[in-house]
Amino acid sequence: MSKHQRELIARRAAWEIQNGFYVNLGPGIPALAARFVPEGVEAVLVSESGVQGFGPLHHEHKGDRDLVDAANEPVALTPGASLFSSVDAYAMIRGGHLDLCIVGGFQVDERGNLANWMLPGRMVHGIGGVMDLACGAKRVVVAMEHRTPAKKPKILRNCTLPLTGLGVVHRVITELAVIDVTPQGLVLREVAAEVSVDEVCRETEAGLRVDKDLKIIQV
Amino acid sequence: MSKHQRELIARRAAWEIQNGFYVNLGPGIPALAARFVPEGVEAVLVSESGVQGFGPLHHEHKGDRDLVDAANEPVALTPGASLFSSVDAYAMIRGGHLDLCIVGGFQVDERGNLANWMLPGRMVHGIGGVMDLACGAKRVVVAMEHRTPAKKPKILRNCTLPLTGLGVVHRVITELAVIDVTPQGLVLREVAAEVSVDEVCRETEAGLRVDKDLKIIQV
Amino acid sequence: MNKVIPDLKQAIADIQDGATIMMGGFGPCGIPENLIQALCDQGTRQLTVISNNAGTEDLGIGLLLRNHQVKKMIVSDVGQNRTFEELVRHGKLQIEFCPQGTLAERIRAGGAGLGGFYTPTGFGTIAAENKEARAWNGRHYVLELPLRAHFAFIKARKGDPFGNLMYRATARNFNPVMATAADVTIAEVEELVETGSLNPDEIHTPGIYVRRVVPGAHNAKPPRAEPEVRK
Amino acid sequence: MNKVIPDLKQAIADIQDGATIMMGGFGPCGIPENLIQALCDQGTRQLTVISNNAGTEDLGIGLLLRNHQVKKMIVSDVGQNRTFEELVRHGKLQIEFCPQGTLAERIRAGGAGLGGFYTPTGFGTIAAENKEARAWNGRHYVLELPLRAHFAFIKARKGDPFGNLMYRATARNFNPVMATAADVTIAEVEELVETGSLNPDEIHTPGIYVRRVVPGAHNAKPPRAEPEVRK
């Protein structure tokens, strides 16, 4: 996966962030999306570390040991910020108060099941906040590469890895496509420029219906 | 019930308050006990209105509309006070963090059941905090008159009024006696000066065992 | 982000007959009196009100009761309120009483996305009637379910345009938890301050919970700097 | 009321082998590092540690792991920690993983006297294995049970002799909830202030929850006045 492709996914994911939204961004590609929030969109980043209203540090600032995001990276507060405990952070997350959560993914399937916390053969280091986020946010968008590093599909009929959440995903954004989870199964809404529908279908194990208003991904 | 007798009960109840205790006092006689805390005993009053560390207003101060106790009476903060929400107040109360709660009572029975919120024929105005307090404090002491205004016993074999809590009472303090609830039933620990054990038993429906170290109530 | 609606009337205009509304307050403290007055003026009816108490005859929810706007109350302790008594006596008001801590916790569960919880409070009393019970380690618990509302009326000491709120003394009470458990939370603030002027560590209600901020036109109490502290 | 114990060693002297201890901290923030160091020095073993994470090799719980003092961890996310990996691989450390929000809520239930609660988190995943499930309104929930401990190690920015605590920024994290859920809560404070100098409205942990207050001898981070606020 090239840096360029990751950035393309992040750029498209950033379009999911609407004005006035409270948003949680997972590590990796989702966190990248913060850089590409469309002009004029004012959104508030919320972290399970216990802060809402933060952003990247100015590069001249070396950070504050007491203030990190969920990836333990130092951040800066933005005006209107507030701070709270972990209990309150998760009450907020689980209680449906986040408008949007963008997470990474290992696998997504036709019913919106998500697997993104445990890989076979790797030691498990924990669950963290992703199960709460996946089941608590009003809208869950997965931003991930379309295929595994071994070029296997990640959008499947059924997830085979241990699940993070059952039927939690609303939309998947990859370098090839934007796909929605609907009660009738997966619907292809957008394809990347210079990518054919056939190619997306080939790289996707799950069945895809094609939106009659199919669009080209704009980033 | 004379004012003098109510004060006697409150004076004895105040001896239950030990140094370092966090204490909740119900309205009526229990609240009176705050005036008689023994010298040298430093205790912190906790109210379900969301404050710990308060006391009566100085008489020259007319009170602060934003600061009341559970009876909606204006109070003053004492040094070391802290303020919190109702959710936090009841987490504290229910979670066993109060060392002592002194409440009034309509009836107490042999198994420590308590009735103190609902009288027959009277309109019910609510439950309030008393059920949480009764089941949550480390120690629940009932401070009440020994008999009803109609001179009926209030310490019974079985409560007949709607209960506040099941098996919650540790000790009952009246103008006649101090009685403990034990797994073997009620035990008479102290009698008022110039009151005989026989008189206490006569005024008590429940069976009473007499402590072999029976004492005279000191107030 | 600017959630300020200067006009009380406009702030509650979308509340319709039959709505469920949470209202903060404990005794005389922290009552969203301006929002309640606006709701009286608007005349919205058949309301379900979730509240710790019912105000007095002339303050808070008492006004709505007197106006016959309330169909049902889920409440802990109404205190002495003659209007309330008469409405109940004449079958014009449905009441569901909750122990105060259970009321707070049910609202919290509603705001925190929990399905239900087991509390020891009220086990063996009529407050637990028709509710499931369960024991762990010899202790008995009652299953209680979450509460949510269409709207929450919140009273705060200070608020900023992001909806961040701070409360004062025991005027905090049910306000922060109710702010979390409604589809639309409307906060009236005694003082509207600029974004960035509240210390983020000291904010009681983060802005995410608040949809609208209204400066309270009138406050029953004079705002004071500090409560008395006895030395 | 004076809960101050000036000496770290004395503050933890009654912790015995086999104790269960909660320890605050999220990433590098709000770790009760001085109490943990004292526990390393004391050499207490067979501990069960309840914590969000496992520190790093040289900070926080990592030190206890390296010292083979921990028998079991109830934890959300240990991150990259080689000592941890080796202990698990060799069967020398039992692990119970919890979703982070569930861990926080279980501790809260322990401190708030609740018997258990239903959370949607983890339903249908291995985090819900062997747990009761239940549905309301078409939504599925898992029954989770409270957590308590013999001791809690808390890190606060400021504390007074009554045990009232204030935290700073995301160093708050699990500290306030853990303070509520232990038989004995011990708080190390970066700054010990006089009783009455904290604003009662701004206290995060009321003193009732704290048994001992210890000034932290050493802080991995330089205390700073304010986090950066971008304009």
Side-chain angles (χ1 to χ4, degrees), chain C residues 26-50:
Chain C
F26 187 108
C29 301
I31 297 172
E33 49 190 310
N34 294 287
L35 289 168
I36 291 173
Q37 185 59 57
L39 194 61
C40 284
D41 298 346
Q42 184 169 288
T44 319
R45 291 172 156 271
Q46 295 289 101
L47 300 171
T48 296
V49 173
I50 301 173

Side-chain angles (χ1 to χ4, degrees), chain C residues 52-142:
Chain C
N52 178 51
N53 48 34
T56 63
E57 308 281 321
D58 359 272
L59 183 67
I61 296 162
L63 303 175
L64 291 169
L65 292 174
R66 218 165 59 186
N67 243 0
H68 298 274
Q69 292 177 257
V70 183
K71 177 186 69 178
K72 180 177 175 181
M73 288 201 71
I74 301 175
V75 67
S76 173
D77 191 350
V78 291
Q80 302 300 321
N81 183 316
R82 247 177 314 143
T83 315
F84 171 85
E85 288 185 26
E86 265 169 47
L87 289 169
V88 171
R89 228 185 282 282
H90 293 90
K92 288 184 177 165
L93 181 64
Q94 303 165 44
I95 296 291
E96 179 182 335
F97 282 123
C98 253
Q100 207 160 71
T102 299
L103 182 65
E105 200 67 25
R106 289 181 68 191
I107 297 166
R108 180 181 184 277
L114 301 176
F117 59 91
Y118 289 93
T119 179
T121 300
F123 175 79
T125 76
I126 62 177
E129 258 174 24
N130 304 319
K131 291 177 185 166
E132 295 180 27
R134 182 153 181 176
W136 283 281
N137 306 319
R139 192 138 202 234
H140 295 272
Y141 299 85
V142 182

Side-chain angles (χ1 to χ4, degrees), chain C residues 130-210:
Chain C
N130 304 319
K131 291 177 185 166
E132 295 180 27
R134 182 153 181 176
W136 283 281
N137 306 319
R139 192 138 202 234
H140 295 272
Y141 299 85
V142 182
L143 178 65
E144 294 281 356
L145 297 180
L147 284 173
R148 285 192 59 88
H150 301 110
F151 294 88
F153 283 5
I154 301 305
K155 167 83 153 200
R157 174 71 191 86
K158 291 184 184 179
D160 72 15
F162 272 69
N164 294 306
L165 305 179
M166 289 178 69
Y167 308 94
R168 182 162 169 279
T170 57
R172 194 179 325 180
N173 60 67
F174 279 75
N175 285 298
V177 76
M178 286 177 169
T180 72
D183 300 338
V184 177
T185 290
I186 311 173
E188 66 166 75
V189 299
E190 292 182 10
E191 193 183 341
L192 180 65
V193 300
E194 272 179 48
T195 297
S197 66
L198 300 176
N199 180 340
D201 275 325
E202 295 165 7
I203 287 166
H204 295 126
T205 291
I208 193 172
Y209 291 119
V210 179

Side-chain angles (χ1 to χ4, degrees), chain D residues 11 15-16 19 26 31 37 43 48-49 95 128 130 136 162 166 178-179 207:
Chain D
I15 303 183
Q16 303 198 338
F26 188 107
I31 297 173
Q37 185 58 57
T48 296
V49 173
I95 296 291
N130 303 317
W136 282 281
F162 272 69
M166 289 178 69
M178 287 180 169

Side-chain angles (χ1 to χ4, degrees), chain B residues 20 22 42 44 52 77 79-84 87-88 91-92 94-95 97-98, chain D residues 1 3 108 111-114 160 162 164 180 195-196 200-201 203 206-209:
Chain B
Y22 288 84
E42 194 185 3
V44 177
Q52 66 183 239
L77 297 180
S82 53
L83 295 155
F84 36 88
V87 168
D88 290 344
M92 197 181 280
R94 211 179 33 230
H97 301 283
L98 290 175
Chain D
M1 192 91 65
K3 301 177 180 178
R108 180 181 183 274
L114 301 177
D160 72 14
F162 272 69
N164 294 305
T180 71
T195 297
D201 275 325
I203 287 166
I208 192 172
Y209 290 119

Side-chain angles (χ1 to χ4, degrees), chain A residues 109-132:
Chain A
D109 73 20
E110 292 180 351
R111 283 155 303 170
N113 295 333
L114 170 67
N116 73 348
W117 73 283
M118 194 175 167
L119 282 174
R122 292 249 209 110
M123 173 160 290
V124 178
H125 291 92
I127 300 172
V130 72
M131 286 189 181
D132 297 281

